[in-house]
Amino acid sequence: MATKDSSLPIARRSTWRDDCLELVCGIANAGGGRLILDADVDSRGVVKRKTNRIMKSIPSTVSQALDLTCAVELVLDGGQFCLEVVIPPAPEPLSYRGAFYFYQDGENRLMDGDALDRLLQPELEPDIKWEMRPVVQASLDDLNLGLVARFTGTSRDTDLTTARDEATAIEEDLRHAGLMTGVGTPTNAGILLLHDRPHQYIPGATVRIGFFGGRGGTPVFEDEICGSLIEQVHATVEALFDKYLPDPSPRNDPSSRNAPGFGMPPRDAVHEAILNAVAHKNYDSGTPVQVSVFTDRICIDNVGRPPRTWTASALLGRHTSRPNNPNLVAALRRLGVIDGWGNGIGSMRLQCIEAGAAEPVIELRDDETMVCFPLDTDSMLVSSIIDNGPLPSQRPARSEVPEVQVTARALAIQHNTSLTANDEKVLAMIDIDGRLTAPRIAKNLNISESTVRRSFRRLRELGLVERIGSDKSGFWQVR
């Protein structure tokens, strides 16, 4: 099961009842959290009919009653199967049947008096999150209508100057998503997502790319990518692979994956890293996301980092989503651009493994997050247009490994044995996705299926993994 953030509210009930909607309302008003319900599962790990019916009905019930999108999944909690209802933070105060609730210290409180006033009028509080601050110079008319239409599902040819009912509905939808205020002024998040040139209103709302060759200092050449947030991501990836990186086409043949010179990071992994950087950046800093290309690596650096209790090794493993800009991430999830489940790093790692490329290196600083993709030095030297001096003596070493691998090595030592490199690679892959099969892992690691199955057996004997369900339809659970 994914690592959970203990600071988020967690409520537990034996089963789903009508009063659970009050509980969901209170948790959403408290900033989001989880509701844990008992699950009825047979010895094979198969959900029984009643639990399956409840599991499927909860999202639609919550959506109809609270206009809130939640997710339900089957998880292991304390060794028992449970249903986990993941409740996002409410973009604005929610009420259920006219009453407002707030979940705090294990109690779902009915809000009234001063407490209700503070809940309904957050603008009276001195600390308004950056993404919710209004951009008073702009209005709905300044936004890109195509982007607005894509987000709200309205017609692209809607004339907002004459179709007032339609405009009002659009404003209401954007306000509910935290992209617009109640007086028709876009928020910072709305400008980032729906304006063609957000940097006109938000300093540093761009991506800078620089080619540094074999040394640091001043870049040999550089570009600044502007546009809406989604456009910045796509344009940055296109510029990187069209202008800054060598043509990988000679290496598209899978049979060459272990040949000298192979190792360019896959486009999808780089896209995910840049998307994470622009989505989770601290925009108060006024600093663009920086993409630095060297002869041996690509480094993607943004101001902003996960919670300070998290280490780089925890980030490399499975973890919950803790966005710095929750409304912006929720809007990107609604557009289908991001999944919002904290799977980005795992997705990057798996894509690199499957492409035969080195895994990304994560570095967390006081107020920055850096993701580095090691590159094939020889191919970059060939593509370099000028002599940039000697290469660094060695590539940056991974200073952190996933926590699951640290645990695995320690446990192996306790049993007076050791794990092979293949054992650790197999463990890393099933930690990312427990439903990966032996044939797929064998193909991606370029080893035999029997080697993978031996690793399965060794990892299970050490108590590092267990099989949930049948061999055919089950999955691996990292313990």
Side-chain angles (χ1 to χ4, degrees), residues 420 422-423 426 438 441-442 445-458:
T420 67
N422 285 332
D423 292 339
V426 170
I441 293 175
L445 296 181
N446 198 30
I447 58 180
S448 68
E449 285 187 40
S450 60
T451 299
V452 175
R453 297 188 190 281
R454 278 197 300 272
S455 291
F456 284 164
R457 186 166 56 252
R458 192 154 38 237

Side-chain angles (χ1 to χ4, degrees), residues 332-348:
L332 289 169
R333 184 173 65 238
R334 175 170 163 177
L335 288 168
V337 176
I338 200 169
D339 69 8
W341 284 91
N343 294 330
I345 300 295
S347 175
M348 280 188 273

Side-chain angles (χ1 to χ4, degrees), residues 86-384:
V86 182
I87 304 163
E92 60 183 21
L94 283 181
S95 66
Y96 175 60
R97 294 181 175 174
F100 291 85
Y101 298 89
F102 194 90
Y103 189 84
Q104 188 176 32
D105 299 328
E107 182 181 351
N108 200 37
R109 297 182 175 92
L110 179 64
M111 305 298 284
D112 56 14
D114 292 341
L116 180 58
D117 289 340
R118 287 193 298 270
L119 179 67
L120 295 178
Q121 302 182 63
E123 66 274 7
L124 298 180
E125 298 292 331
D127 185 20
I128 302 176
K129 287 188 176 182
W130 174 88
E131 61 176 357
M132 293 298 292
R133 295 175 194 164
V135 180
V136 297
Q137 310 97 310
S139 67
L140 177 61
D141 294 335
D142 295 309
L143 304 181
N144 181 308
L145 184 56
L147 293 172
V148 172
R150 178 181 172 187
F151 184 82
T152 61
T154 54
S155 172
R156 283 177 171 268
D157 58 3
T158 298
D159 185 351
L160 298 183
T161 61
T162 58
R164 300 312 305 170
D165 289 344
E166 186 77 4
T168 300
I170 290 173
E171 287 189 11
E172 177 66 19
D173 195 359
L174 296 179
R175 185 175 67 86
H176 196 74
L179 305 181
M180 183 165 283
T181 67
V183 295
T185 300
T187 62
N188 278 325
I191 290 291
L192 259 184
L193 192 68
L194 304 174
H195 198 281
D196 286 327
R197 301 181 68 80
H199 64 280
Q200 291 180 341
Y201 303 93
I202 304 171
T206 59
V207 179
R208 294 182 66 186
I209 316 176
F211 181 80
F212 292 85
R215 61 189 179 197
T218 304
V220 179
F221 53 86
E222 60 183 303
D223 289 287
E224 185 161 20
I225 308 298
C226 304
S228 68
L229 186 145
I230 296 174
E231 178 59 29
Q232 285 182 42
V233 175
H234 291 307
T236 299
V237 174
E238 291 300 313
L240 269 175
F241 283 86
D242 290 348
K243 178 177 179 180
Y244 287 80
L245 300 178
D247 181 7
S249 56
R251 300 179 179 86
N252 280 341
D253 180 4
S255 64
S256 69
R257 297 195 326 152
N258 292 316
F262 186 86
M264 195 62 60
R267 182 182 292 253
D268 287 346
V270 176
H271 181 280
E272 184 69 34
I274 295 170
L275 175 60
N276 282 347
V278 299
H280 301 297
K281 172 184 152 182
N282 175 9
Y283 283 89
D284 257 339
S285 67
T287 303
V289 170
Q290 296 183 359
V291 183
S292 305
V293 182
F294 299 89
T295 50
D296 62 342
R297 66 195 186 279
I298 305 171
C299 292
I300 301 163
D301 195 2
N302 69 284
V303 179
R305 55 159 292 155
R308 294 196 173 274
T309 55
W310 287 14
T311 62
S313 59
L315 198 60
L316 286 165
R318 300 187 65 189
H319 57 276
T320 53
S321 176
R322 285 294 308 277
N324 290 325
N325 307 303
N327 286 323
L328 183 62
V329 168
L332 289 169
R333 184 173 65 238
R334 175 170 163 177
L335 288 168
V337 176
I338 200 169
D339 69 8
W341 284 91
N343 294 330
I345 300 295
S347 175
M348 280 188 273
R349 291 178 60 204
L350 188 58
Q351 289 159 356
C352 288
I353 291 172
E354 292 182 336
E359 290 188 43
V361 179
I362 311 293
E363 183 178 347
L364 298 180
R365 301 170 183 168
D366 284 345
D367 61 350
E368 295 182 8
T369 300
M370 178 180 286
V371 178
C372 286
F373 291 94
L375 295 174
D376 182 300
T377 301
D378 292 339
S379 61
M380 284 298 293
L381 281 173
V382 171
S383 68
S384 180

